[in-house]
Structures are given as C-alpha cells and as structure tokens.
Amino acid sequence: MDLNKRLVIALILSFVILFGFSYLFPQPKKNPAEQNASSAPVSAQQQSAKAAPAPSAAASTAQSAPSAAGREAPAATKAVAGKLVTVETKKYRMQIDRLGRISSVVLKESKYRTEDGKPLELIDPTRTMPLEVRFADPKLNEEAFTTDYEASVSSLDAEQGSQELELTQKLPGVTLIKRLRFYPDGHYDLSVSVDRKTDFFITSGHRPEADKSRYLIVRGVLVRDSKGVITTIEDGKAEETVKIPDATILSSFDRYYASLFFNFKQPFHVVISADAKNDPLPFVSSDGSLSLHGYVGPKEWKLFEKLNPHLTDAIEFGWFTFLAKPFFKVMLWIYSFVGNWGWAIVLFTFLVKLVLFPLSYKGMMSMQKLKDLAPKMKEIKERYGKDPAKMNQQMMELYKKHGANPMGGCLPMLLQIPVFFALYRVLLNADELQGAPWILWITDLSRQDPYFILPILMGATMFLQQQITPNTMTDPMQQKIFKWFPVIMTFFFLTFPAGLVLYWLTNNILSIAQQYYINRAYEKHKQRFKEKHGEKA
C-alpha cells in the first residue's frame, strides 16, 4: 500500500518536472557578442592566447583538431564574406558565401514558417557555418579566412535534377577544391581535396537555430559509428574533446532540423571540441581527400529512409529510442491509410491502449481489491502495530484470502512509464507533425491549440477519470496533491503541441471507458466472492 502511494506521488512529481521545468525555466539565450566568441577564426596574435600551438605536419589530424578548431578568423571576415553562389532545390534556397560556407538555408515549403509567417531560416551567421574548413597549420588557417573561393557558377538550379558546383580556394602552397552535387530533395554529395598533403578539418557547423521552443528538447551533436553506436553531446555539455574514428553519421541538430554528413561505405574521423559556451563543435578530419554526403533541412523520416535506412538514426528520440522508433513506424503505417496525422494519433493511442489492456486490467483490479481491504488493513495495523512480524503475517493472510497483490497496482504502472515517455518524444520531435492539420480549428498539430479547447478537455477528462478510479490514499496531503493534478497538468498543457495534447486526451477518454468496464467486472467479482465465502468482498 505504502509503495503504491509513493509511486503515484512520484509519478505526479515526475510529470510536473518533465512538463513544467522547461516551460518555467527556458534555456537562456546567448547574445551575439557571446556567440561571436565561439563561432569562427581571430587574428594570429589572438591565436597564441586562445589555442595551443599547431602540431607539426607529422602529427596526426586527430591530435591537431582541438587547436585547429580553436583557431579564429579576423572579425572583419564576417562582414566581407558576402554571397558567392545561390542554390535552388525543391526544399530550400541556399546561399554559399565567399569563404565556401553555407551561410543561409531558407526552407520553401509553406509549413516551415516563423511565428510571424516569414520563411524559415536555418543558419545563424553568427555561429560556425556548415562546410567551413580549418587547417592545422596556423598560417595557412589565417590565409584560409582571408582568401575568397572561386565558383564554377554563381547560381545553381537543382529543382528538377542534380547539378554540380565546384569551389576552389588558392592558398600559399596549397589549393583546396570542394566539389558538390545538389539533388532536388535537398541532399548533396561532397568531395574535398587538396593538391598536397595537408591536415584540414571541415564542419557540419553549429546546429540549426530554427526551434525556439521551451520544451525539454535535446540539441547538439549526434555521431553514429560503424557499429551503430550513437554518441550524443548536448549543448552546454561539451567539456572535453571527443574523437570517433569510424563515424558514419555526423549531425548538428535541434528539435526538427539538422545539418549532417554521412557515408556508410567509407567511415570518417570525427573530432568534437567545445566552444566558449561548452556547445559541441564537430569536425571531420582529413589530410588529402574526403568524400561525404550531406544534408541541411528538416529531419524527415521517409527522406532519410530513402537515402539510407541507417540514416534514420539521426532522428533523435532520447532514452527510449528503442521504443520510439517502432512506435513512429507504426504511426507512419497508420497515416498511410487514413491520410491525417490527427486521426493517426487517435488510432495509434487506441492500439497502444489495446495492447496494454491486460496489464491495466490486472493493475486496476488489484487496486479495487486494495481499496475495499483498506478498512481491514487499518484495523490490523492498529491491532498489531507494535508487533511488525505478526502484522505482516496477518496482512499476507488477508491478501491471500481475497486474491489481492500489494504490488499488483504498482508494477503495471511502472511498465507503462517507458511507453508514455517514448510516445511523448515521438509526438514532440516528429517533423511530420509540422503543418499537419487534424479537424476544424486544429490546423497544425506541432503548435498549441489556439483556443485551448484540447487542453481544457484533457483536464476535464483527467478529473472525471480520477472520480471513477479507486483511490487508496488516506493521507490528506496526498489527497490534495492528487486532486489538483488535473489542474496542474491543464496549465502546463495549454502551450503544448496540439498533437501531444490530442494523444493525452484520447488516452484519458479510453482510460475512462476502460475503468467503467473494470468497475463492472469487479462488481461481478465481488458478487462471486460473496456467494463463495458468504461475506462481503
């Protein structure tokens, strides 16, 4: 009994922390001055104070990476590195600046808009940008940030078919060439070469800065190695250099978007260092030639699966990814039939409820029995309170006689927790919900209900569910906390994505129906028990 009480209180507090902490205490935004301190190269005079001396050419590229990544360019570089090439695909309009970096990616699809309706920009020019190259040699690195690239064309239209672009940078003693082929779906092939052996590093850049939500979202860098092991380093937690010699995916990501490199045939060497704010800054190292595939844009499951099924590992679902990925596949399958993500969520919730019904039934029946036994248990505690051994013996005899299990209501609840958190991450992170309508006033399941109808209905159904669910709590404080739980959850869910609230509302409605069924089943059970034992169950 005490364990069940503590579990319920723990669950309530966990939900409050999960939903409330990120809402009430969002991550502080960095001002431009702080961001510039970590974005990309300062003068040679500043290098000596900020970075370790560059190693000799004989040193390995992995050892060179931290110092090379720490090198900075003259502050004026950003002001003069104007547009060099414009690339058009079906997904975005991209700009590449005169230092060969992706300086802008504006998404074209109508569902990708800012709060004020403007086209969504993924790249923050004050942070390190994708395709930036740095050298282990300090002097060469300084030249690289003051020498413009030459482009084979000034504009590229890859909306109907793939198109090739060549960027050339002629530095003292070495020439670097980037060859890129862009495809209509937004991904590209990248080949980087130098005409003499030189240690260099190319980055996928700082993660896209498009998502401004307050939710508990993981943002940072993800790396998948050749064995399928995934390493994730969150913003603010990159306290030391991380080296992964056999990477197949490198992704700088936020909630919905990513800038990534991948190559599953030829793994590459990744080095992740920390910037001034302990945000992860990833680089791919090489000393001659390098071949990668790249992408900047929304993390779309079907696109990633089409490019390579393993690329879906770049879609981050948190601790419960092992559950979240199959859940999302099932939701995609349902969506392929109904064609509406709102109804897909409703049907999937029904399916989950159906699968978990045996666990729920057993747990609820056990709680009903414990509720009815509460007066007798209280009587045993009062009578044998000074003799714990005798009290426990009497309790066990009571449980055995009535077929009750003190853990019966606890374990089913515990087993359902991973399911809930996996669904929570799917509905919070799935790009497919962006711009996806349900019915009537719900035109975007990734945004909050504009009229707060779903959250209020969710709170009302949660309150109704409380009234018909057996409650074994006798402590007044616990009862008050439990009573106010629907109000607290309603408050937090007011600004949550409509898709997540729809899931919870549907789950509540199904739980109410399930509870009515279980209550009726228990009444029949009590009647049979009474007939068999000649006493009230």
Side-chain angles (χ1 to χ4, degrees), residues 316-349:
E316 196 275 334
F317 288 123
W319 292 346
F320 296 104
T321 295
F322 69 97
L323 284 176
K325 288 186 73 171
F327 285 174
F328 187 63
K329 287 182 179 180
V330 174
M331 289 183 69
L332 281 171
W333 178 77
I334 296 173
Y335 175 77
S336 68
F337 287 98
V338 299
N340 181 293
W341 275 105
W343 292 118
I345 291 171
V346 171
L347 291 174
F348 180 77
T349 309

Side-chain angles (χ1 to χ4, degrees), residues 28-200:
K29 296 181 179 179
K30 301 172 186 176
N31 61 52
E34 292 174 328
Q35 291 176 344
N36 288 340
S38 63
S39 48
V42 284
S43 63
Q45 289 81 5
Q46 289 172 305
Q47 284 180 11
S48 59
K50 294 193 64 160
S56 64
S60 70
T61 58
Q63 292 174 331
S64 309
S67 57
R71 305 197 195 293
E72 305 284 345
T77 299
K78 294 185 183 298
V80 300
K83 181 179 71 174
L84 179 65
V85 181
T86 300
V87 179
E88 300 277 354
T89 71
K90 288 183 178 180
K91 285 193 173 296
Y92 56 67
R93 176 179 294 109
M94 175 187 289
Q95 290 185 2
I96 298 175
D97 71 8
R98 292 183 350 211
L99 292 180
R101 307 172 298 191
I102 297 175
S103 58
S104 173
V105 174
V106 178
L107 299 180
K108 291 182 175 181
E109 293 182 60
S110 59
K111 70 176 185 176
Y112 299 119
R113 292 290 184 269
T114 60
E115 292 289 344
D116 54 3
K118 295 180 180 178
L120 190 64
E121 170 67 70
L122 298 185
I123 305 299
D124 182 353
T126 67
R127 307 301 298 262
T128 302
M129 292 174 272
L131 300 189
E132 178 174 297
V133 172
R134 300 183 184 181
F135 291 89
D137 185 317
K139 292 183 179 179
L140 195 58
N141 192 66
E142 182 73 15
E143 289 288 341
F145 282 96
T146 56
T147 303
D148 289 352
Y149 278 74
E150 298 173 4
S152 57
V153 294
S154 60
S155 62
L156 205 68
D157 188 350
E159 291 195 56
Q160 304 303 321
S162 65
Q163 297 291 330
E164 191 168 309
L165 170 67
E166 185 172 294
L167 301 172
T168 304
Q169 187 180 43
K170 297 178 180 179
L171 301 170
V174 63
T175 298
L176 182 141
I177 299 176
K178 299 177 187 175
R179 293 183 178 88
L180 299 108
R181 177 171 288 277
F182 291 91
Y183 295 85
D185 60 13
H187 87 279
Y188 59 87
D189 300 331
L190 170 65
S191 172
V192 185
S193 61
V194 288
D195 60 358
R196 71 174 175 83
K197 191 172 182 179
T198 305
D199 292 344
F200 68 88

Side-chain angles (χ1 to χ4, degrees), residues 416-480:
Q416 293 181 57
I417 291 174
V419 174
F420 165 75
F421 282 111
L423 283 171
Y424 167 78
R425 291 306 297 266
V426 167
L427 297 175
L428 203 59
N429 286 31
D431 170 72
E432 285 73 8
L433 295 186
Q434 289 204 84
W438 179 40
I439 56 172
L440 302 175
W441 74 100
I442 302 298
T443 58
D444 187 344
L445 288 166
S446 70
R447 297 179 183 269
Q448 70 182 55
D449 181 339
Y451 305 112
F452 309 117
I453 295 174
L454 289 182
I456 292 172
L457 288 175
M458 186 212 70
T461 54
M462 187 176 288
F463 178 77
L464 176 58
Q465 185 182 352
Q466 274 190 358
Q467 305 310 304
I468 64 172
T469 302
N471 181 1
T472 60
M473 294 180 185
T474 56
D475 181 84
M477 181 58 69
Q478 292 177 352
Q479 290 177 341
K480 286 182 180 179

Side-chain angles (χ1 to χ4, degrees), residues 323 351-368 405 407-420 514-515 518:
L323 284 176
L351 182 62
V352 170
K353 206 70 179 173
L354 193 63
V355 171
L356 294 178
F357 178 75
L359 277 177
S360 301
Y361 181 84
K362 185 177 292 187
M364 292 298 181
M365 288 292 282
S366 181
M367 289 183 70
Q368 289 276 20
N405 183 354
M407 295 291 290
C410 173
L411 289 177
M413 293 175 69
L414 284 174
L415 292 174
Q416 293 181 57
I417 291 174
V419 174
F420 165 75
Q514 175 181 273
Q515 191 62 55
I518 292 173

